[in-house]
Each structure stands twice: as C-alpha cells, then as structure tokens.
C-alpha cells in the first residue's frame, strides 16, 4: 500500500470512473485489496432490443440511476479503436466479439466495460480480489472479458445469488438469480472462510436430537479412523482406538456434557446447533433475500443490494483496515458495509443523485462514528457549478437539489418535469401527513414569469413553500414578486414564519445558505438504519 494513500481519507468521487481510475497519481498500481462492482445495465430490456443494430450516430453512453443502457455511438466507436490497438488478449477479444455482435447496445456495453476492467486489474493488489455482479443478459460476455484481463487461472467462482423464490417471465423459465464472478489477481489472495445458515431440510435431517432443556444437537464422530493426518491413540472408558482430539480435550468435552454414549458405550460428540457457525459458504447463495418494501435498510434506490450480500463478500476477501473500491457505487451499500466493518473505502458514481444519497446514508447510519471522508469532483465554487451546468444540465440540477437536502423528483431523461426538480417533506404537527416544499432549479437566464410558474406549481401540488434555485442572479421584479406571497406559519408554532416563495442563488448555497422550513423531521430521504461499527468474530482462512 502506498504511504501516500495511507494518509488519505475515505473518498467519494463524482464522475465517470474511467478517467478517474486512469489518474495514476491518485490511483497508483496495486492499491486496492477488494473490489465489488455492479455495472449498470438495462436488464429489463428484451434480448432482441439489446441486440438490435444501431446506425452509429445514436447518443453516446448513458449511465444514470434509472436509465442505464449503453448505446453504440461516436464515443463508443472512438473507445473501441483506441482499445483494440492494445497488444493483449482483451483487445483481440473485442475485435472478435464485434465481428459476431455487430454495432449494437451489447457490443457498446462491452466496449465501455473493457478499459474499465483493465484499469481495475491495474489498481488491484496482487493479494486482491474482484467480484463482478451481473445478470443473465451479459454475464457470458463479461466472463470472457474477465478471463482475457485476469486470466482464466485466476477465476475462482461463478457465484449464484438466488434473489427471489419465484418469478413469472412470459415464454421462458422464471429468472430468479444474479451472477457474481469472483476473480483474484494471484494465488496470494486474502481468503477468510464465510459461513451461511443451514437450510431447514439439513437441520431436520441431521440435528435430530435434543437435551431436556430443548437445545438441539447432532451426533459427531470422535474416532479418527480414516481421517487424514491421523489422531491420538489412548484408552477412553475401556475403548482403545485413535481419537480425533487429545485426552485433555476429550476430558473437557465430557465435563461440559458434550459427549454422549451409544448403546455400545461408544462416545460421540454433541454438536449444538446454537454453537455452529453454519455451513461454509458454497457457490449458490440462497440464504440472502433481496430487499423488499418492508426492509428497514431499503432506501428506494432501484438497484440497491442487501447489506448481507456485501458483508459476506467483504468479510471473505478483506481484513480490517484494508482498502475497498466500488466504482459503480449507486446508493452506497458497499461503502456503508465497508465503513461498518472497519475497512477503508473509495466509491465512484457518475450521478450526483447517488452521491447525495450516499452522504445522507453514511450520516444517518454512523452519526458521530463516521470516519472522515472527502467528496471529489463536485463543484466547490461558482465557476465549478457553472461548468457542471454547461456540461450536463440534469447533473447540475441533481447537484443543486442535493445541496439543499431535497430529493430529486424524477428521472430527468423521461421528459417534462411538471415544474418540480426536487421535493422536501417535513412534519410540523401530529396529523401524520407530511407538508411539502417544492424546488425548481434554473441554470440559465431567469425572469419573473418563471417565478410565477413556480407559484402555480406550489398551489397545484398543495405545497406550503416553493424554492427557486438559480445559477444567475435574480431580477428585482422576481424578488418583489416573492415577497408578495407572504409567509407560511405553522399552526402549532405561530411564533415561527417562513417565506412561502424563497429564492436561493448557487452562490448563496455555496456560502452556507439554506431553505427555510420547520426543522426537526426532514423526511427527504428514507433514513438508513442506525448501526454501530464493528467487525465481529475472526474468520477461518480458505486459502
């Protein structure tokens, strides 16, 4: 591990992970102990649509929180020709795949993934591991890419995660699983043995005995007959044979009541169910349920994975203090679990929606136990905000909405936004019904008619406050118009009052300005469950 990096804080990067990873000053070789990635792909699209031919002039790669298909276009074409000049197997593979697939969305996806996997391999330690999470749409092609980059000898497992018990898919068998490819960089990789709970049939079949107090146990052999490595020969209660444990251990087990005797007086060991770690994890994981609407950790992010899934991976392939990377970190499950298990972490995402959600999740989950971290790539001054607005208006709006603690109202690429870019819900009475603040964000020239439009949206949405966020300075007529709307006064707090129409400039926000509304129960994001940091028991090695 680089001495320089040991001094850095944990980090969230806002931006495209490829140029971020290619920055060798920030990401030198052999840096990370563990990587988990769940690359975005539109798995709901039909097989035929994914393989539809494109004419080469469609929009460039799009990666957002809700619409994540990558398309073949000019950017993809350029990336392809740059990559295939490489003198390696990954470049040869892409050429072959293009001759087979043509110029379609699947090929565009593989072209965009190839250089990212190359960079991930570069920054992975020789003792490191990579887990790539995908579904059946692209898994077979991703496996070829991983073999080309990591070498087939470094493939360890194709893990099947059974995420649901049943699924109705028209015209085919129900798809109930995802695939997680597990690769290492060398034979020196970290390996801590993970365990999973026994299934009910196993418990019923083998844990057939119980003590008078109700403790359930199974019968275990104490003889070392046929055991590789031999055992300990001695006389135990008149039976002379080779035993699995030394006499002192046998005496201890007997004293603790963990030995029972058959009718022939042969000692057998009681293995209690409540003392078992479970079964060493296999390559089919059916004991981790996908998130449902009633789960406390569910935050509403479309591709959110359960913490139990990431906990198994992080415990198995890293130790405390190790450095974990998630280059497509979404709502931050990898980051949150790494923080809880006392690992250091780096997260990268191309949407500011995800960055905002991660910041809120970390704060809600760990409060004052949260390790210091930096956010890299988001605007820190007015010129940076203006540059983001020019580059990507939607990301600018998400950034601005996140800066004031509001929740984005929708996926921006779907079309008209009904005049709402963000929403804040809060409670200031005992009715159980939240009040609403609606937020509009403008990055161009502003005028009083736009403010009047916001007033109409406030009335239409039965909101109590409307907020107009602007990159440019508001006009004097706009300020006067906002004043005419008066104040919102909470029924139970008549001493408090909040302007019904508020104008905030980006400069105000960067200087600490905030929306004025009743505090105490901001329900913008569903709050992450509060958890304490800790790593639990030391695990066995499966190297």
């Amino acid at each position: 591990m680089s001495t320089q990096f040991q001094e850095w804080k944990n980090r969230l990067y806002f931006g495209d992970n490829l140029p971020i990873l290619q920055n060798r000053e920030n990401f030198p070789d052999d840096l990370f102990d563990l990587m988990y990635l769940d690359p975005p792909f539109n798995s709901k699209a039909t097989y035929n649509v994914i393989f539809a031919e494109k004419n080469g002039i469609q929009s460039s790669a799009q990666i957002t929180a809700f619409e994540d298909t990558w398309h073949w276009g000019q950017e993809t074409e350029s990336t392809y020709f740059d990559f295939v000049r490489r003198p390696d197997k990954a470049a040869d593979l892409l050429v072959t795949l293009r001759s087979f697939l043509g110029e379609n969305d699947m090929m565009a996806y593989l072209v965009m993934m190839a250089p990212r996997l190359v960079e991930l391999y570069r920054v992975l330690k020789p003792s490191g591991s990579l887990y790539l999470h995908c579904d059946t749409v692209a898994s077979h092609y991703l496996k070829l890419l991983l073999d080309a980059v990591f070498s087939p000898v470094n493939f360890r497992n194709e893990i099947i995660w059974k995420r649901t018990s049943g699924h109705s898919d028209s015209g085919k068998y129900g798809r109930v699983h995802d695939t997680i490819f597990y690769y290492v960089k060398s034979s020196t990789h970290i390996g801590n043995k993970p365990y999973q709970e026994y299934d009910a049939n196993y418990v019923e079949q083998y844990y057939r005995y119980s003590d008078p107090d109700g403790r359930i146990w199974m019968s275990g052999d104490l003889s070392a007959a046929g055991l590789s490595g031999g055992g300990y020969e001695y006389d135990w209660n008149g039976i002379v044979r080779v035993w699995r444990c030394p006499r002192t251990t046998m005496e201890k087990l007997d004293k603790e009541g963990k030995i029972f005797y058959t009718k022939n007086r042969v000692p057998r060991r009681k293995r209690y169910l409540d003392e078992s770690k479970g079964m060493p994890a296999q390559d089919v994981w059916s004991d981790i349920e996908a998130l449902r609407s009633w789960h406390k950790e569910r935050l509403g992010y479309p591709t959110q994975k359960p913490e139990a899934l990431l906990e198994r991976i992080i415990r198995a392939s890293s130790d405390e203090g190790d450095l974990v990377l998630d280059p497509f970190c979404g709502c931050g499950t990898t980051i949150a679990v790494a923080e809880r298990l006392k690992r250091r972490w780096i997260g990268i995402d191309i949407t500011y929606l995800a960055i905002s959600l991660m910041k809120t999740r970390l704060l809600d989950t760990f409060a004052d136990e949260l390790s210091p971290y930096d956010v890299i790539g988001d605007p820190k001054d007015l010129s940076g905000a203006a540059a983001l607005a020019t580059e990507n208006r939607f990301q600018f709006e998400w950034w601005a909405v996140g800066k004031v603690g509001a929740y984005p109202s929708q996926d921006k690429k779907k079309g008209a936004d009904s005049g709402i870019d963000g929403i804040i819900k809060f409670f200031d009475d005992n009715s159980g019904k939240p009040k609403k603040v609606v937020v509009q964000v403008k990055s161009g020239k502003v005028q009083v008619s736009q403010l009047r439009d916001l007033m109409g949206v406030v009335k239409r949405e039965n909101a109590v406050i409307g907020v107009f966020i602007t990159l440019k300075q508001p006009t004097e007529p706009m300020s006067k118009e906002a004043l005419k709307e008066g104040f919102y006064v909470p029924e139970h707090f008549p001493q408090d009052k909040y302007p019904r129409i508020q104008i905030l400039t980006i400069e105000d926000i960067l200087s600490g300005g905030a929306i004025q509304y009743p505090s105490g129960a901001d329900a913008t994001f569903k709050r992450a469950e509060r958890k304490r940091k800790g790593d639990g028991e030391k695990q066995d090695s499966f190297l």
Side-chain angles (χ1 to χ4, degrees):
M1 181 190 311
S2 116
T3 305
Q4 178 192 19
F5 198 87
Q6 284 181 308
E7 299 171 355
W8 289 1
K9 297 177 183 176
N10 296 329
R11 291 186 172 184
L12 292 176
Y13 282 86
F14 168 45
D16 184 342
N17 55 31
L18 183 57
I20 290 172
L21 290 168
Q22 288 173 331
N23 184 334
R24 290 175 176 259
E25 182 177 351
N26 291 340
F27 291 87
D29 295 354
D30 305 335
L31 183 60
F32 292 96
D33 299 281
L34 171 63
M35 300 171 179
Y36 168 86
L37 57 153
D38 184 9
F41 195 82
N42 189 0
S43 58
K44 293 182 181 179
T46 67
Y47 199 74
N48 290 333
V49 169
I50 291 173
F51 283 87
E53 296 295 330
K54 303 297 179 183
N55 61 14
I57 58 172
Q58 303 239 350
S59 60
S60 62
Q62 302 286 345
I63 316 168
T64 70
F66 306 104
E67 182 181 342
D68 53 25
T69 305
W70 287 341
H71 304 295
W72 190 276
Q74 293 177 354
E75 181 180 345
T76 313
E77 189 80 28
S78 175
T79 302
Y80 171 82
F81 278 104
D82 287 343
F83 188 83
V84 297
R85 292 192 181 104
R86 297 169 55 90
D88 56 31
K89 292 181 179 179
D92 295 341
L93 176 64
L94 275 196
V95 173
T96 303
L97 287 174
R98 184 174 184 177
S99 67
F100 171 61
L101 294 173
E103 293 79 33
N104 52 41
D105 286 351
M106 178 61 76
M107 189 63 206
Y109 181 67
L110 299 173
V111 168
M112 293 303 175
M113 282 301 301
R116 288 165 172 81
L117 290 175
V118 167
E119 288 302 319
L120 291 175
Y121 179 83
R122 179 184 67 80
V123 298
L124 184 65
K125 282 184 179 179
S127 59
S129 303
L130 176 140
Y131 291 77
L132 189 153
H133 193 139
C134 55
D135 63 16
T136 55
V137 176
S139 59
H140 41 304
Y141 296 114
L142 289 170
K143 173 69 165 58
L144 288 172
L145 266 181
L146 287 164
D147 280 347
V149 174
F150 279 78
S151 173
V153 300
N154 288 323
F155 169 69
R156 286 297 175 266
N157 286 104
E158 178 184 9
I159 298 166
I160 300 300
W161 174 41
K162 185 182 177 184
R163 51 182 168 74
T164 183
S165 57
H167 199 271
S168 178
D169 289 313
S170 177
K172 56 187 174 184
Y173 298 110
R175 297 193 311 185
V176 298
H177 80 273
D178 284 357
T179 296
I180 303 173
F181 291 121
Y182 168 35
Y183 280 77
V184 298
K185 196 168 182 178
S186 75
S187 60
T188 63
H189 65 284
I190 295 171
N192 302 314
K193 184 178 291 186
Y195 292 87
Q196 58 191 87
E197 292 184 6
Y198 297 122
D199 62 41
N201 291 335
Y202 181 89
V203 172
E204 183 178 356
Q205 181 177 359
Y206 291 100
Y207 284 88
R208 296 177 292 167
Y209 310 99
S210 62
D211 287 344
D213 61 3
R215 289 187 75 191
I216 298 172
W217 51 275
M218 69 181 293
S219 171
D221 195 359
L222 283 169
S223 168
L227 188 69
S228 63
Y232 307 86
E233 184 175 357
Y234 53 87
D235 182 325
W236 181 261
N237 284 357
I239 299 177
V240 178
R241 64 174 54 173
V242 179
W243 305 100
R244 289 178 177 242
C245 56
R247 178 183 292 275
T248 53
T249 302
M250 189 81 90
E251 291 170 349
K252 181 175 181 291
L253 291 172
D254 196 37
K255 185 177 180 180
E256 293 173 348
K258 292 183 178 180
I259 294 179
F260 78 101
Y261 296 86
T262 68
K263 292 179 181 179
N264 297 325
R265 297 298 298 165
V266 175
R268 302 276 294 178
R269 181 173 180 174
K270 292 182 178 181
R271 296 190 179 277
Y272 286 100
L273 180 60
D274 59 11
E275 293 180 350
S276 172
K277 293 180 179 180
M279 178 185 295
Q282 308 298 300
D283 63 1
V284 176
W285 296 355
S286 58
D287 58 328
I288 298 176
E289 186 180 20
L291 293 179
R292 304 287 185 250
S293 58
W294 58 86
H295 288 145
K296 289 183 178 180
E297 69 181 81
R298 183 178 172 87
L299 301 173
Y301 196 83
T303 58
Q304 182 179 354
K305 300 301 185 291
E307 289 195 7
L309 185 73
L310 272 301
E311 181 167 344
R312 178 169 293 170
I313 290 170
I314 291 173
R315 286 185 183 277
S317 296
S318 69
D319 297 320
E320 281 192 17
D322 282 351
L323 187 58
V324 178
L325 170 69
D326 188 338
F328 299 93
C329 56
C331 66
T333 301
T334 305
I335 302 309
V337 176
E339 174 74 10
R340 174 161 56 84
L341 299 182
K342 299 181 180 178
R343 274 67 168 172
R344 296 173 304 120
W345 48 262
I346 297 288
I348 308 172
D349 203 275
I350 200 168
T351 69
Y352 202 83
L353 168 64
I355 300 297
S356 294
L357 188 53
M358 276 185 276
K359 291 166 65 177
T360 303
R361 180 178 189 172
L362 288 169
L363 183 60
D364 287 345
T365 303
F366 302 106
D368 56 358
E369 283 192 308
L370 179 61
S371 303
Y373 71 94
D374 291 326
V375 179
I376 311 297
D378 63 331
K380 299 294 193 297
D381 53 31
L382 196 57
S383 62
L388 178 60
T390 301
E391 178 184 347
N392 189 315
R393 178 169 59 88
F394 298 131
Q395 294 295 341
F396 169 77
E397 291 174 4
W398 278 330
W399 169 77
V401 164
K403 291 294 284 186
V404 296
Y407 190 82
S409 63
Q410 63 158 26
D411 178 3
K412 292 295 183 183
K413 287 210 280 287
K414 296 297 183 184
D417 59 10
S418 301
I420 303 174
D421 295 316
I423 296 174
I424 292 174
K425 294 181 180 180
F426 66 90
F427 299 88
D428 61 3
D429 58 32
N430 296 319
S431 68
K433 296 181 179 180
K435 305 290 176 60
K436 188 188 295 184
V437 178
V438 295
V439 179
Q440 277 188 1
V441 181
K442 301 295 181 183
S443 57
K445 184 178 179 181
V446 292
Q447 54 192 358
V448 71
S449 61
Q450 294 170 323
L451 197 69
R452 293 186 182 126
D453 290 341
L454 173 61
M455 295 173 187
V457 172
V458 169
K459 292 175 183 177
R460 185 193 73 214
E461 298 293 322
N462 294 317
V464 297
I465 293 172
V467 180
F468 191 92
I469 297 177
T470 172
L471 181 63
K472 308 291 185 181
Q473 288 297 317
T475 65
E476 187 175 345
M478 292 175 66
S479 300
K480 290 180 178 179
E481 194 74 20
L483 289 173
K484 290 180 183 178
E485 291 299 301
F487 297 91
Y488 166 67
V489 180
E491 178 183 354
H492 298 288
F493 305 95
Q495 71 278 11
D496 298 331
K497 61 181 182 179
Y498 306 89
R500 284 193 177 274
I501 299 296
Q502 302 176 26
I503 301 176
L504 277 174
T505 66
I506 294 298
E507 190 172 14
D508 292 334
I509 294 170
L510 291 170
S511 299
I515 297 173
Q516 300 176 53
Y517 68 97
S519 61
D522 180 4
T524 299
F525 293 105
K526 180 177 176 183
R527 293 195 178 277
E529 185 180 2
R530 180 75 170 92
K531 295 180 180 178
R532 301 193 69 83
K533 292 161 66 171
D535 199 0
E537 298 180 3
K538 184 180 184 298
Q539 301 182 69
D540 301 325
S541 170
F542 65 74
L543 282 176

